[in-house]
Amino acid sequence: MSNSRKLTRRTMLKSSVALGGAATFNHLAPQSTAKSMMDVAFEKRDAVRLGIIGVGARGVEMLKEWLAVPNLKVTALCDIDKAQLAKGVKQVQQAGQPAPATYSNGERDFENLCKRDDVDFIYIATPWDWHAPMAIAAMTNGKHCGVEVPVIVTLKEAWDIVDTSERTRRHCLIMENCCYGLSEMIVLNLTKAGVLGQLLHGEAAYNHDLRYIINENRSEGLWRRAPHLTRNGNLYPTHGLGPVSNYLSINRGDKFEHIVSMSSPALGLDEYRAKTVPKDSPKWKEKYICGDMNTSLIKTTKGRTIMLQHNITTPRPYDRINLIQGTKGIFRDYPERIYIEGQPGQEEFTDLTSYKAKYEPRLWKTVGELARKNGGHGGMDYVMVYRIVECLRQGIAPDLDVYDAAAWSAPTPLSEQSVAQGSAPVQFPDFTRGRWQQARSVMG
């Protein structure tokens, strides 16, 4: 569905039970006889047939990226907003492809798209509470899928997508574009090469002033405030956590062990409402409980530490922190800078320029120019979808899998538990059922 989906009572109730779901499905991995989806290759194909559920603001933006990838055909679109759906159809036709089939007959019509036999991969860009149900429908109907972030909102949903992926042998990918940023991929190559030494600590965040966007009477403003009324924790962890997890080989030799979380008071949305929202607006009936700044600490099984932050309701520049500390040096972003022991300049940061030539990733060498020209978010969006299509066409395993989708999204319900329990430690589930100990490649 599009980002213009209304903030309905059903949506609010679904958000409000998220913490309860987290409390029920917490520590132990459910038993399963299914085989792991780690390193499972896609079926090789000459071209990829794509279905998209949700052509709102993000869906339309990403549709442009998908259409720019060679050997990809958009065969079906779904959205309950018929105006947005028409925009998507027009976009496909302007790219020189036939008009795709469309689905807009109610909020469950996505299930009919999932049943089509001319769809190989389904991209899901809808409000968060629909992500897991739509991914499960896609996999159950034999389709691989990629889901915008966060993939789940409760731990029950996390186990549901893992179980469904393993049972159906279909991939559920987390569409974490930040893992495909040029700086992030260079730093990943630096960590793989041991330039920073043995890794000790990472810092990640989504600190982004979204007060205007989430208060609009359209698009995300119609649904993205809802969690701030019913939840108190880190609501959007993956943009910062994904790249840092890759640096630390999470699910590939290490795993998240436990989390401790605390939230500041919730003041930002109240102050913004007082300055900008008319007194007769229904927004004045809303009571915000999510702290403006949530800070969480994650300990990994190997003893490494991660600081994770979330703040979208106060005035500040965009910042994902993106820090990784090793025994030989440190990298931190915003702005990007690096320090390696023994480098010229003594204890001063230098920029990343001198490392780019040697550690530039293959993907950026291959499509970087096109990505910078046409791709969103500095090109990372295009690099991500290009890579997914490449994996599908070559019949190789994707870079990210359902275990990443579950683990990187899980800090939301887990942080809620910790905050509610006075910042008590809360154990991470092991979504891999012990298979995280298998050493395997990170991002190809």
Side-chain angles (χ1 to χ4, degrees):
M1 311 325 176
S2 79
N3 288 339
S4 60
R5 180 169 177 261
K6 291 184 178 180
L7 184 59
T8 62
R9 181 175 181 273
R10 180 176 181 274
T11 305
M12 300 283 284
L13 289 173
K14 195 164 185 179
S15 296
S16 70
V17 301
L19 182 56
T24 303
F25 294 82
N26 189 10
H27 300 293
L28 300 177
Q31 294 297 314
S32 174
T33 58
K35 294 181 180 179
S36 172
M37 287 299 289
M38 288 181 176
D39 294 331
V40 173
F42 287 117
E43 308 83 8
K44 188 175 182 180
R45 67 202 78 214
D46 292 331
V48 175
R49 300 169 298 177
L50 179 71
I52 297 180
I53 305 174
V55 284
R58 180 58 174 165
V60 165
E61 180 183 9
M62 288 301 292
L63 176 56
K64 173 177 67 72
E65 310 287 353
W66 289 108
L67 288 168
V69 180
N71 300 295
L72 180 132
K73 181 180 179 182
V74 177
T75 56
L77 301 177
C78 176
D79 203 297
I80 58 173
D81 186 327
K82 290 181 169 58
Q84 284 297 124
L85 194 60
K87 289 181 182 178
V89 171
K90 183 178 180 181
Q91 200 170 338
V92 174
Q93 291 177 307
Q94 288 177 336
Q97 294 192 18
T102 57
Y103 295 85
S104 61
N105 187 25
E107 62 181 20
R108 306 299 303 189
D109 208 17
F110 69 87
E111 295 171 341
N112 291 315
L113 183 151
C114 293
K115 295 174 182 177
R116 294 183 65 90
D117 59 7
D118 62 347
V119 172
D120 304 310
F121 188 90
I122 295 176
Y123 167 61
I124 299 167
T126 60
W128 303 339
D129 55 355
W130 284 103
H131 285 180
M134 289 172 171
I136 290 168
M139 291 185 285
T140 301
N141 283 280
K143 312 302 189 296
H144 302 289
C145 63
V147 188
E148 279 295 341
V149 300
V151 178
I152 56 91
V153 293
T154 69
L155 291 185
K156 180 183 184 303
E157 288 184 339
W159 281 116
D160 287 345
I161 64 168
V162 169
D163 291 342
T164 304
S165 180
E166 292 180 344
R167 175 176 54 82
T168 62
R169 314 310 296 162
R170 299 294 91 180
H171 280 295
C172 177
L173 312 185
I174 181 169
M175 299 293 289
E176 186 40 80
N177 55 344
C178 294
C179 292
Y180 291 89
L182 178 57
S183 294
E184 287 83 355
M185 296 192 79
I186 289 173
V187 174
L188 178 59
N189 284 343
L190 287 170
T191 63
K192 287 181 177 180
V195 174
L196 296 176
Q198 297 185 65
L199 302 182
L200 305 167
H201 174 75
E203 296 185 11
Y206 189 71
N207 294 327
H208 188 189
D209 185 357
L210 295 181
R211 292 173 298 166
Y212 175 78
I213 290 175
I214 66 174
N215 272 283
E216 284 189 297
N217 294 318
R218 57 178 292 277
S219 193
E220 292 187 34
L222 299 177
W223 61 270
R224 196 164 172 180
R225 281 192 322 285
H228 291 263
L229 280 68
T230 58
R231 314 186 74 174
N232 187 9
N234 188 314
L235 302 181
Y236 200 67
T238 74
H239 280 337
L241 188 58
V244 169
S245 297
N246 282 338
Y247 306 153
L248 294 172
S249 298
I250 297 300
N251 293 336
R252 295 158 177 81
D254 200 357
K255 70 174 178 66
F256 300 143
E257 189 68 23
H258 66 264
I259 186 172
V260 171
S261 185
M262 60 192 71
S263 291
S264 76
L267 304 176
L269 286 178
D270 286 321
E271 291 191 6
Y272 187 83
R273 178 174 57 187
K275 292 188 298 183
T276 64
V277 177
K279 295 299 183 181
D280 60 350
S281 170
K283 296 188 182 92
W284 280 95
K285 297 179 181 179
E286 298 174 355
K287 180 175 176 56
Y288 309 114
I289 68 169
C290 188
D292 293 318
M293 172 65 80
N294 176 271
T295 300
S296 301
L297 293 175
I298 298 173
K299 192 74 174 285
T300 76
T301 302
K302 286 189 172 182
R304 282 94 68 90
T305 54
I306 302 170
M307 185 193 77
L308 177 66
Q309 289 186 329
H310 176 265
N311 183 341
I312 67 168
T313 52
T314 64
R316 58 178 303 146
Y318 182 88
D319 184 7
R320 284 188 277 114
I321 303 179
N322 191 26
L323 178 150
I324 187 70
Q325 171 75 63
T327 56
K328 294 181 180 180
I330 183 173
F331 170 84
R332 68 184 307 156
D333 217 334
Y334 301 92
E336 63 180 38
R337 53 211 189 274
I338 191 169
Y339 172 76
I340 304 297
E341 186 177 32
Q343 71 181 28
Q346 299 182 353
E347 293 183 4
E348 295 182 4
F349 280 107
T350 61
D351 63 36
L352 202 57
T353 304
S354 60
Y355 295 93
K356 288 184 177 179
K358 182 175 181 180
Y359 295 101
E360 182 180 10
R362 176 192 64 82
L363 278 171
W364 279 87
K365 290 179 181 178
T366 303
V367 298
E369 184 176 350
L370 182 60
R372 293 182 184 94
K373 181 179 179 181
N374 298 319
H377 295 99
M380 63 174 66
D381 289 350
Y382 180 78
V383 173
M384 175 178 65
V385 298
Y386 176 90
R387 174 59 175 167
I388 291 172
V389 174
E390 179 181 68
C391 291
L392 282 158
R393 294 189 64 231
Q394 293 183 4
I396 58 179
D399 298 324
L400 307 175
D401 55 35
V402 71
Y403 309 107
D404 303 313
W408 298 358
S409 302
T412 296
L414 295 175
S415 66
E416 290 180 82
Q417 286 190 52
S418 182
V419 169
Q421 296 169 15
S423 302
V426 178
Q427 199 80 6
F428 268 85
D430 177 9
F431 297 107
T432 73
R433 309 180 217 269
R435 300 176 182 119
W436 61 269
Q437 299 175 75
Q438 302 172 16
R440 55 195 182 109
S441 63
V442 180
M443 297 283 289

